Amino acid sequence: MPSRATVPAFRPLYRQIQDLIVQALADREWLPGEMIPSEMDLAARFEVSQGTVRRAIDELAAEHLLVRRQGKGTYVATHADPRAFFRFLRLIPDDGSVPRSRSEPLECQSLRAGQEVAKALAINHGDPVLQLRRILRFDGEPVVVDEIYLPADLFPNLTLDQLRASDRSLYTLFESLFGVRMVRAEEKIRAVAADAVAAQVLGIEPGTPLLSVERTAYTYGNRPAEWRRGLYATANHHYFNELG
Amino acid sequence: MPSRATVPAFRPLYRQIQDLIVQALADREWLPGEMIPSEMDLAARFEVSQGTVRRAIDELAAEHLLVRRQGKGTYVATHADPRAFFRFLRLIPDDGSVPRSRSEPLECQSLRAGQEVAKALAINHGDPVLQLRRILRFDGEPVVVDEIYLPADLFPNLTLDQLRASDRSLYTLFESLFGVRMVRAEEKIRAVAADAVAAQVLGIEPGTPLLSVERTAYTYGNRPAEWRRGLYATANHHYFNELG
DNA sequence: CAGTGGTCTAGACCACGTG
DNA sequence: ACGTGGTCTAGACCACTGA
C-alpha cells in the first residue's frame, strides 16, 4: 500500500504510448514533415488497441507535435508549415495585412553563458553558448531586433554564413540543420524605452517605447534549447494574444 | 444535393450535442458553479451513447466552459475559481510571488458608443454603453489602470456602488449579477508612453513606457460583451504568455 | 478501389469522492 | 456501497485522399 500523496499513482496506457511516440520523435525515428505509421500499425507495434493509439495521437496533435490529415495519414509537425510561424511570432500589422517577413542576421559568436542565460537554458554558468543578433523586417521595414542564445552543444558549428544563406525562419533552419525542433515557448513581456543601439537599428527615436519580449523555447521533453530577448516596435504593429 | 463548398457538409453528432449543451448554458439552465447532469443522464436526454456525450463534454472542458471532477461530476466553470483569474489577467510579479489583487473602481457612466467601441463590441455607433474606469492594485501597489466599455443592455443598472461593494473580480461580478460569463478574449498589446493621467494614477513619471493592452472579451456564442484598454506598469511585473 | 483518419456504439472494468 | 468520471477494448461504419 503505497503512500505517495503527490505522485499520480496511476499512469494511463495512452500516456505511456504518448511517451513512446515522443521518444521516437526525439530519437529522430520519424523526421519533421514525414508521415508516421498508421494507427493500426502503431497499435500492433505497441500491442494496444487502435483506440488507445488514437487517444495518444490526439493529445500529441493538440500539442502540435503531430499533424493529422484525414485520408492521408499522421505527420510530424514542422516549422516549414507557415501556420507554425505565427504560433511563435505573435506580432502582426495593425491593418491586418500579411507581411512578407525576412530575417537579417547581424552577428553570430561563441561565448560563455552568464548567470541569466545559464539559468534560462538550464545549463551551468560558463558553459559554451552561441549568441546571435538579428533584425526581423516586415515588408522591408525593421520591426524586431533580437538577441538569441543557444546551447552550443545542440548547434555545432552554426555560422553567420549559414544564417545568411537561409531564407526560411530560424526555427525551420534549426530543424533541418540540427534536428532541433522547438515545441513550445514561454514569453515575458515588458514595456521599455529604446536605447541608442535599438533606436538606430529600428530607425526610431531613442526613448521610444518598445515591447521587450523574453522567450525561452523548449524542444522535445521540455528541454530548454533557446533563450532570446526581442525588442518589438509597435508603432504600426501589435502583439496579438488569445486568452482561452 | 447541396453545393456549399466552404460549409462543412458534415456535422458530427458530438458537435451537435456540444451545441445543445452550450445552448443550455446560454439559457442559464445550469448556473456557474453548479453541477450538470451525469453523462448517462445527458446520453438519455439526447438519445445518444454515453461516449458521444463524453466527447462533447471533453471539448467543452478543454474550452473551459465546463470543469470535470472525477468521482463528483461535471460543473459549469466560474470566474469564482481562482484559476480563472490568471487565465485572463496575465500580469505577474517578476519575483514569482502571488499578489493579493484588488480592484478600485473610479468611475461608472453611461454614454454612447464611438466608432472604435462600436466596432469592437459589434454594436451600432451611438448605441448605449457603460464606461468604467478602475485601478488594479497588487499588494496595494497600483499596476494597471483600465478603461472598460460594456454594452448597456447586458448590464442593466450597473452602478459604481455595486462595483465598490464587491471584493471579487469584475468577471465574477458580471457573472453573478448579470449572468454574463466571459468565455474567451483577444488582446492586442503595444508599448506606449504614460500620459499625465496614467502617470499620476500609477505613481510613475510621465513618459514611462507602459504596456497598452486592448481586450475584447466574448460570452457564450462568440458574442463580444466587453472591450477594454489597460495600461500595465511593468517595472516590477511582466505579462506572461505561453506559446503552444 | 484501397488505405487512412473520423465517428459512434456497447460493454467491461478502474479510480475517485462521499457517504 | 454507490455514483461519478476515466480508461480500454472491439467492431461497424463514414469521410477523405490519391492511385
Side-chain angles (χ1 to χ4, degrees), chain A residues 188-225:
Chain A
K188 295 180 182 180
I189 305 173
R190 291 184 182 77
V192 301
D195 61 22
V197 175
Q200 198 254 317
V201 168
L202 294 172
I204 55 177
E205 289 300 310
T208 304
L210 297 175
L211 287 189
S212 158
V213 180
E214 295 175 18
R215 177 193 300 175
T216 307
Y218 299 82
T219 186
Y220 296 123
N222 261 324
R223 175 171 177 190

Short mmCIF file of all heavy atoms in Angstrom, two decimals, chain A residues 188-225:
data_model
loop_
_atom_site.label_atom_id
_atom_site.label_comp_id
_atom_site.label_asym_id
_atom_site.label_seq_id
_atom_site.Cartn_x
_atom_site.Cartn_y
_atom_site.Cartn_z
N LYS A 188 7.96 36.47 -21.57
CA LYS A 188 7.74 37.51 -20.56
C LYS A 188 7.82 38.85 -21.26
O LYS A 188 8.85 39.16 -21.87
CB LYS A 188 8.81 37.44 -19.47
CG LYS A 188 8.79 36.18 -18.64
CD LYS A 188 9.90 36.24 -17.58
CE LYS A 188 9.93 34.96 -16.77
NZ LYS A 188 11.02 35.00 -15.73
N ILE A 189 6.77 39.64 -21.15
CA ILE A 189 6.67 40.86 -21.93
C ILE A 189 6.65 42.08 -21.03
O ILE A 189 5.93 42.10 -20.02
CB ILE A 189 5.39 40.83 -22.80
CG1 ILE A 189 5.39 39.56 -23.65
CG2 ILE A 189 5.30 42.06 -23.67
CD1 ILE A 189 4.11 39.34 -24.42
N ARG A 190 7.45 43.06 -21.41
CA ARG A 190 7.51 44.32 -20.68
C ARG A 190 7.53 45.47 -21.67
O ARG A 190 7.82 45.29 -22.84
CB ARG A 190 8.79 44.42 -19.84
CG ARG A 190 8.87 43.48 -18.69
CD ARG A 190 10.16 43.75 -17.91
NE ARG A 190 10.26 42.82 -16.80
CZ ARG A 190 10.63 41.55 -16.94
NH1 ARG A 190 10.97 41.10 -18.12
NH2 ARG A 190 10.67 40.75 -15.89
N ALA A 191 7.27 46.68 -21.17
CA ALA A 191 7.46 47.88 -21.96
C ALA A 191 8.76 48.54 -21.52
O ALA A 191 8.99 48.70 -20.32
CB ALA A 191 6.29 48.84 -21.77
N VAL A 192 9.62 48.87 -22.48
CA VAL A 192 10.90 49.51 -22.17
C VAL A 192 11.12 50.67 -23.14
O VAL A 192 10.43 50.78 -24.16
CB VAL A 192 12.08 48.51 -22.29
CG1 VAL A 192 11.89 47.33 -21.36
CG2 VAL A 192 12.24 48.04 -23.73
N ALA A 193 12.09 51.53 -22.81
CA ALA A 193 12.43 52.63 -23.71
C ALA A 193 13.58 52.19 -24.61
O ALA A 193 14.50 51.50 -24.16
CB ALA A 193 12.84 53.86 -22.90
N ALA A 194 13.52 52.56 -25.88
CA ALA A 194 14.58 52.18 -26.82
C ALA A 194 15.91 52.81 -26.42
O ALA A 194 15.97 54.02 -26.16
CB ALA A 194 14.20 52.62 -28.23
N ASP A 195 16.97 51.99 -26.35
CA ASP A 195 18.31 52.56 -26.14
C ASP A 195 18.86 53.00 -27.50
O ASP A 195 18.21 52.84 -28.53
CB ASP A 195 19.23 51.54 -25.45
CG ASP A 195 19.42 50.26 -26.27
OD1 ASP A 195 19.21 50.29 -27.50
OD2 ASP A 195 19.76 49.23 -25.67
N ALA A 196 20.07 53.55 -27.47
CA ALA A 196 20.64 54.12 -28.69
C ALA A 196 20.79 53.07 -29.79
O ALA A 196 20.46 53.32 -30.97
CB ALA A 196 21.99 54.78 -28.39
N VAL A 197 21.27 51.88 -29.41
CA VAL A 197 21.51 50.84 -30.41
C VAL A 197 20.19 50.39 -31.06
O VAL A 197 20.07 50.34 -32.28
CB VAL A 197 22.21 49.62 -29.76
CG1 VAL A 197 22.35 48.49 -30.76
CG2 VAL A 197 23.57 50.03 -29.21
N ALA A 198 19.22 50.04 -30.21
CA ALA A 198 17.94 49.59 -30.75
C ALA A 198 17.31 50.68 -31.61
O ALA A 198 16.74 50.40 -32.68
CB ALA A 198 17.01 49.21 -29.60
N ALA A 199 17.39 51.92 -31.15
CA ALA A 199 16.79 53.02 -31.90
C ALA A 199 17.42 53.12 -33.29
O ALA A 199 16.70 53.28 -34.30
CB ALA A 199 16.98 54.34 -31.14
N GLN A 200 18.72 52.99 -33.34
CA GLN A 200 19.41 53.11 -34.63
C GLN A 200 19.00 51.96 -35.55
O GLN A 200 18.66 52.17 -36.72
CB GLN A 200 20.92 53.10 -34.38
CG GLN A 200 21.74 53.63 -35.54
CD GLN A 200 22.45 52.51 -36.27
OE1 GLN A 200 23.00 51.62 -35.63
NE2 GLN A 200 22.40 52.54 -37.59
N VAL A 201 19.01 50.75 -35.00
CA VAL A 201 18.69 49.58 -35.81
C VAL A 201 17.25 49.62 -36.31
O VAL A 201 16.96 49.25 -37.46
CB VAL A 201 18.93 48.29 -34.99
CG1 VAL A 201 18.33 47.09 -35.69
CG2 VAL A 201 20.42 48.09 -34.75
N LEU A 202 16.33 50.06 -35.46
CA LEU A 202 14.92 50.04 -35.83
C LEU A 202 14.49 51.34 -36.52
O LEU A 202 13.34 51.46 -36.96
CB LEU A 202 14.05 49.80 -34.59
CG LEU A 202 14.21 48.42 -33.93
CD1 LEU A 202 13.45 48.35 -32.61
CD2 LEU A 202 13.73 47.32 -34.87
N GLY A 203 15.40 52.31 -36.58
CA GLY A 203 15.08 53.55 -37.27
C GLY A 203 14.05 54.39 -36.55
O GLY A 203 13.13 54.93 -37.16
N ILE A 204 14.18 54.46 -35.23
CA ILE A 204 13.24 55.25 -34.41
C ILE A 204 14.02 56.15 -33.47
O ILE A 204 15.25 56.06 -33.39
CB ILE A 204 12.32 54.32 -33.59
CG1 ILE A 204 13.17 53.37 -32.76
CG2 ILE A 204 11.38 53.54 -34.51
CD1 ILE A 204 12.39 52.46 -31.85
N GLU A 205 13.31 57.01 -32.75
CA GLU A 205 13.97 57.88 -31.78
C GLU A 205 14.36 57.10 -30.53
O GLU A 205 13.57 56.28 -30.06
CB GLU A 205 13.01 59.01 -31.36
CG GLU A 205 12.74 60.02 -32.45
CD GLU A 205 14.03 60.71 -32.90
OE1 GLU A 205 14.79 61.18 -32.02
OE2 GLU A 205 14.28 60.74 -34.13
N PRO A 206 15.53 57.38 -29.97
CA PRO A 206 15.86 56.79 -28.66
C PRO A 206 14.79 57.19 -27.65
O PRO A 206 14.30 58.32 -27.68
CB PRO A 206 17.21 57.43 -28.31
CG PRO A 206 17.79 57.86 -29.62
CD PRO A 206 16.63 58.20 -30.51
N GLY A 207 14.42 56.28 -26.77
CA GLY A 207 13.40 56.57 -25.77
C GLY A 207 12.01 56.14 -26.20
O GLY A 207 11.10 56.08 -25.37
N THR A 208 11.83 55.82 -27.48
CA THR A 208 10.53 55.33 -27.94
C THR A 208 10.16 54.06 -27.16
O THR A 208 10.99 53.18 -26.98
CB THR A 208 10.59 54.98 -29.44
OG1 THR A 208 11.02 56.12 -30.17
CG2 THR A 208 9.24 54.51 -29.95
N PRO A 209 8.91 53.95 -26.71
CA PRO A 209 8.51 52.71 -26.01
C PRO A 209 8.54 51.50 -26.96
O PRO A 209 8.07 51.59 -28.10
CB PRO A 209 7.07 53.01 -25.55
CG PRO A 209 6.99 54.49 -25.51
CD PRO A 209 7.86 54.97 -26.64
N LEU A 210 9.11 50.42 -26.48
CA LEU A 210 9.18 49.17 -27.24
C LEU A 210 8.70 48.04 -26.36
O LEU A 210 8.79 48.10 -25.13
CB LEU A 210 10.63 48.88 -27.65
CG LEU A 210 11.34 49.86 -28.57
CD1 LEU A 210 12.80 49.43 -28.75
CD2 LEU A 210 10.63 49.92 -29.91
N LEU A 211 8.22 46.97 -26.99
CA LEU A 211 7.97 45.75 -26.24
C LEU A 211 9.28 45.00 -26.07
O LEU A 211 10.00 44.77 -27.05
CB LEU A 211 6.99 44.84 -26.98
CG LEU A 211 5.52 45.22 -27.04
CD1 LEU A 211 4.72 44.06 -27.62
CD2 LEU A 211 4.98 45.58 -25.67
N SER A 212 9.57 44.62 -24.84
CA SER A 212 10.66 43.69 -24.58
C SER A 212 10.05 42.31 -24.40
O SER A 212 9.24 42.10 -23.49
CB SER A 212 11.42 44.11 -23.31
OG SER A 212 12.12 42.99 -22.78
N VAL A 213 10.40 41.39 -25.27
CA VAL A 213 9.83 40.04 -25.23
C VAL A 213 10.95 39.04 -24.97
O VAL A 213 11.80 38.82 -25.83
CB VAL A 213 9.11 39.70 -26.56
CG1 VAL A 213 8.52 38.30 -26.49
CG2 VAL A 213 8.04 40.73 -26.87
N GLU A 214 10.96 38.48 -23.78
CA GLU A 214 11.95 37.45 -23.44
C GLU A 214 11.31 36.09 -23.61
O GLU A 214 10.25 35.83 -23.06
CB GLU A 214 12.42 37.61 -21.99
CG GLU A 214 13.16 38.89 -21.73
CD GLU A 214 13.50 39.06 -20.26
OE1 GLU A 214 13.48 38.04 -19.53
OE2 GLU A 214 13.78 40.20 -19.84
N ARG A 215 11.97 35.25 -24.38
CA ARG A 215 11.38 33.95 -24.68
C ARG A 215 12.33 32.81 -24.33
O ARG A 215 13.51 32.86 -24.65
CB ARG A 215 11.06 33.85 -26.18
CG ARG A 215 10.52 32.48 -26.58
CD ARG A 215 10.51 32.28 -28.08
NE ARG A 215 9.68 33.27 -28.75
CZ ARG A 215 9.59 33.36 -30.08
NH1 ARG A 215 10.26 32.54 -30.85
NH2 ARG A 215 8.83 34.29 -30.63
N THR A 216 11.82 31.81 -23.67
CA THR A 216 12.53 30.54 -23.54
C THR A 216 11.77 29.52 -24.36
O THR A 216 10.57 29.35 -24.17
CB THR A 216 12.58 30.07 -22.07
OG1 THR A 216 13.11 31.11 -21.26
CG2 THR A 216 13.45 28.83 -21.94
N ALA A 217 12.47 28.88 -25.31
CA ALA A 217 11.83 27.88 -26.17
C ALA A 217 12.34 26.49 -25.79
O ALA A 217 13.50 26.31 -25.44
CB ALA A 217 12.12 28.17 -27.63
N TYR A 218 11.42 25.52 -25.87
CA TYR A 218 11.71 24.16 -25.43
C TYR A 218 11.59 23.18 -26.59
O TYR A 218 10.73 23.32 -27.44
CB TYR A 218 10.74 23.75 -24.32
CG TYR A 218 10.82 24.64 -23.09
CD1 TYR A 218 10.14 25.85 -23.05
CD2 TYR A 218 11.58 24.25 -22.01
CE1 TYR A 218 10.23 26.67 -21.92
CE2 TYR A 218 11.66 25.07 -20.87
CZ TYR A 218 10.99 26.27 -20.84
OH TYR A 218 11.07 27.07 -19.74
N THR A 219 12.47 22.19 -26.56
CA THR A 219 12.38 21.11 -27.54
C THR A 219 11.74 19.89 -26.87
O THR A 219 11.25 19.98 -25.75
CB THR A 219 13.76 20.80 -28.16
OG1 THR A 219 13.60 19.86 -29.20
CG2 THR A 219 14.72 20.26 -27.11
N TYR A 220 11.72 18.76 -27.56
CA TYR A 220 11.08 17.55 -27.01
C TYR A 220 11.55 17.29 -25.58
O TYR A 220 12.72 17.43 -25.26
CB TYR A 220 11.44 16.33 -27.86
CG TYR A 220 10.91 16.40 -29.28
CD1 TYR A 220 11.78 16.29 -30.36
CD2 TYR A 220 9.56 16.55 -29.54
CE1 TYR A 220 11.31 16.33 -31.66
CE2 TYR A 220 9.08 16.60 -30.83
CZ TYR A 220 9.96 16.49 -31.90
OH TYR A 220 9.49 16.54 -33.18
N GLY A 221 10.62 16.89 -24.74
CA GLY A 221 10.96 16.54 -23.37
C GLY A 221 11.18 17.75 -22.49
O GLY A 221 11.85 17.67 -21.47
N ASN A 222 10.63 18.90 -22.90
CA ASN A 222 10.71 20.12 -22.10
C ASN A 222 12.13 20.56 -21.83
O ASN A 222 12.42 21.16 -20.80
CB ASN A 222 9.99 19.91 -20.76
CG ASN A 222 8.60 20.50 -20.80
OD1 ASN A 222 8.38 21.54 -21.43
ND2 ASN A 222 7.68 19.85 -20.15
N ARG A 223 13.01 20.29 -22.78
CA ARG A 223 14.38 20.75 -22.62
C ARG A 223 14.53 22.14 -23.22
O ARG A 223 14.28 22.33 -24.41
CB ARG A 223 15.33 19.76 -23.32
CG ARG A 223 16.75 20.23 -23.30
CD ARG A 223 17.73 19.19 -23.78
NE ARG A 223 19.06 19.80 -23.76
CZ ARG A 223 20.13 19.25 -24.30
NH1 ARG A 223 20.03 18.08 -24.89
NH2 ARG A 223 21.30 19.85 -24.24
N PRO A 224 14.97 23.15 -22.43
CA PRO A 224 15.13 24.48 -23.00
C PRO A 224 16.26 24.47 -24.02
O PRO A 224 17.33 23.91 -23.77
CB PRO A 224 15.48 25.36 -21.79
CG PRO A 224 15.84 24.44 -20.69
CD PRO A 224 15.23 23.10 -20.99
N ALA A 225 16.02 25.04 -25.19
CA ALA A 225 17.00 24.97 -26.26
C ALA A 225 17.27 26.34 -26.87
O ALA A 225 18.07 26.47 -27.80
CB ALA A 225 16.52 24.01 -27.35
#
